[in-house]
């Protein structure tokens, strides 16, 4: 735990240490978090109950929604003491409390940062192992990827805390204004995130090309219905989830860019004397470190954008609307319908092969 000593660079009172610009941005962020938390909880319920997505994919999407919901809670834990300090000139938090809140915040933030990677890996397994992916053995991959996602994020937090050992610092900040991270740990986090996302993008491109090629080969050679079904589901899931994947990529790019500002500032002031470091950082980041709030606003906006993008899936969107009574999902009544006879006296019914071919023709129009 870094040494904390309350002193100010201008003899500011508690409420003055939170600037008016900080306060306004905090209120905006709290509003977004207030919206994002219940929305993600609703999508957890929707995704859990859907049967149109593969179980492994559902597990990963639920994991992302859980992380986003916890992220909103962690921001409330951090921001409420700062708002109270600004409004009432009193401190209701402590260093240990803020350290815990920020550690939780960093943990779920790292979970969201690798969500695109694990989703692409799952869809990649579904594509490249299409012959056996529906077997019971492949159902474990969802839990394995989710475990990797949360363990990796926790490792980032642990590495950061270990890096803080033996580096006492003096902060002219309130406890929840302190950044309990080192510039070196932030740089490692940014570099690792960049590598994961590059791997994911390359895998995604290869996966799309593979599915297109496989689709063309199999569309007129319907021999194994299990394989055909798996290929069909891969094509469908990738096309419907594409907006969600785009939001994940944009989120990671924006987050990496904004968090890099902290790394640049740290590098700029690293060699300066301790007594001059604060004044230089204030000139670059603002007295209330307002520039770092760009990252916080971008992060919470992407939580909302993910929920908006998931509406691109017709079944999920229909279930979403049903929660508000705007779209009722009623099961079709089982009615016995006689065979339809054409003018020539022949039955107008499709065989299994004809129905499958019709489905592939529809998919071909989508992938053109």
């Amino acid at each position: 735990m870094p040494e904390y000593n309350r002193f100010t660079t201008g003899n500011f009172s508690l409420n003055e240490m939170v600037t008016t610009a900080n306060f306004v941005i905090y209120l905006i962020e709290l509003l977004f978090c207030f919206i994002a938390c219940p929305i993600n909880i609703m999508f957890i319920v929707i995704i859990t109950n859907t049967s149109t997505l593969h179980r492994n994919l559902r597990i990963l999407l639920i994991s992302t929604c859980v992380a986003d919901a916890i992220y909103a809670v962690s921001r409330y834990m951090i921001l409420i003491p700062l708002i109270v300090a600004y409004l009432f000139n009193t401190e209701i938090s402590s260093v240990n409390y803020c350290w815990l809140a920020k550690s939780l915040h960093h943990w779920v933030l790292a979970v969201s940062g690798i969500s695109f990677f694990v989703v692409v890996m799952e869809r990649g397994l579904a594509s490249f192992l299409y012959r056996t992916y529906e077997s019971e053995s492949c159902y474990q991959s969802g839990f394995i990827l989710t475990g990797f996602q949360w363990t990796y994020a926790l490792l980032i937090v642990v590495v950061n805390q270990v890096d803080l050992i033996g580096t006492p610092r003096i902060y002219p900040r309130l406890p929840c204004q302190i950044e309990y991270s080192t510039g070196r740990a932030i740089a490692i986090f940014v570099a690792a995130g960049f590598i994961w996302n590059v791997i994911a993008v390359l895998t995604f491109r290869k996966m799309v090309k593979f599915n297109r090629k496989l689709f063309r080969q199999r569309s007129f050679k319907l021999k194994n219905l299990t394989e055909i079904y798996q290929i069909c589901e891969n094509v469908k899931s990738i096309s419907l989830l594409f907006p969600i994947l785009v939001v994940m990529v944009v989120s990671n790019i924006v987050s990496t860019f904004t968090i890099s500002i902290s790394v640049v500032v740290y590098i700029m002031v690293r060699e300066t004397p301790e007594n001059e470091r604060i004044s230089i950082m204030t000139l670059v980041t603002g007295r209330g470190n307002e520039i770092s709030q760009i990252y916080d606003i971008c992060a919470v906006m992407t939580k909302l954008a993910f929920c908006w993008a998931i509406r691109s899936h017709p079944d999920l969107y229909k279930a979403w609307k049903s929660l508000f009574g705007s779209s009722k999902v009623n099961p079709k009544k089982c009615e016995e319908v006689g065979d339809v006879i054409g003018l020539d006296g022949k039955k107008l019914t499709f065989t299994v092969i004809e129905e499958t071919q019709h489905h592939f023709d529809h998919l071909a129009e989508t992938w053109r």
Side-chain angles (χ1 to χ4, degrees), residues 169-308:
R169 297 179 180 184
I170 299 177
Y171 296 88
R173 295 280 188 267
L174 297 176
C176 282
Q177 286 180 314
I178 300 173
E179 181 54 56
Y180 299 90
S181 302
T182 63
R184 180 167 45 198
I186 293 175
I188 293 174
F189 173 74
V190 171
F194 177 79
I195 293 173
W196 290 124
N197 284 291
V198 168
I199 294 174
V201 170
L202 295 177
T203 303
F204 181 75
R205 289 184 59 189
K206 185 176 181 180
M207 176 180 62
V208 170
K209 292 180 179 179
F210 179 81
N211 275 323
R212 285 179 175 174
K213 180 180 179 181
L214 197 62
F215 175 75
R216 295 191 186 101
Q217 290 176 348
R218 292 282 175 174
S219 59
F220 298 104
K221 299 178 181 179
L222 309 179
K223 296 180 180 179
N224 190 321
L225 290 180
T226 301
E227 294 181 12
I228 295 300
Y229 170 78
Q230 183 61 47
I231 298 168
C232 172
E233 287 302 307
N234 292 341
V235 173
K236 181 180 178 181
S237 63
I238 292 173
S239 60
L240 292 179
L241 295 176
F242 189 75
I244 299 176
L245 299 176
V246 171
V247 168
M248 289 181 177
V249 172
V250 173
S251 168
N252 292 333
I253 293 175
V254 173
S255 299
T256 301
F257 174 76
T258 53
I259 202 174
S260 298
I261 297 175
S262 301
V263 178
V264 173
V265 173
Y266 172 79
I267 294 175
M268 289 175 57
V269 302
R270 183 176 53 184
E271 303 299 332
T272 58
E274 184 70 29
N275 58 345
E276 300 178 7
R277 188 174 301 173
I278 298 300
S279 60
I280 296 175
M281 292 183 67
T282 300
L283 290 174
V284 178
T285 65
R287 184 173 69 81
N289 197 25
E290 289 86 354
I291 197 170
S292 67
Q293 292 180 275
I294 299 175
Y295 173 80
D296 297 325
I297 292 295
C298 291
V300 71
M301 288 297 292
T302 56
K303 312 307 176 191
L304 296 174
F306 172 78
C307 293
W308 172 84

Side-chain angles (χ1 to χ4, degrees), residues 95-151:
V95 173
N96 289 331
Y97 167 83
C98 293
W99 170 80
L100 178 62
K102 293 230 171 177
S103 296
L104 177 63
H105 169 262
H106 295 341
W107 187 18
V108 294
L109 194 62
V111 170
S112 297
I114 200 175
S115 58
F116 174 68
F117 173 81
V118 293
V119 168
V120 169
M121 291 301 106
E122 189 277 332
R123 287 293 85 194
L125 288 174
S127 298
F128 303 135
L129 303 177
Y130 66 94
R131 288 188 176 90
T132 59
Y133 196 71
E134 287 298 320
S135 64
E136 289 296 328
S137 60
C138 290
Y139 279 85
Q140 301 172 359
S141 59
F143 294 102
I144 294 174
L145 287 171
T146 302
F148 168 76
Q149 184 181 18
W150 287 84
T151 303

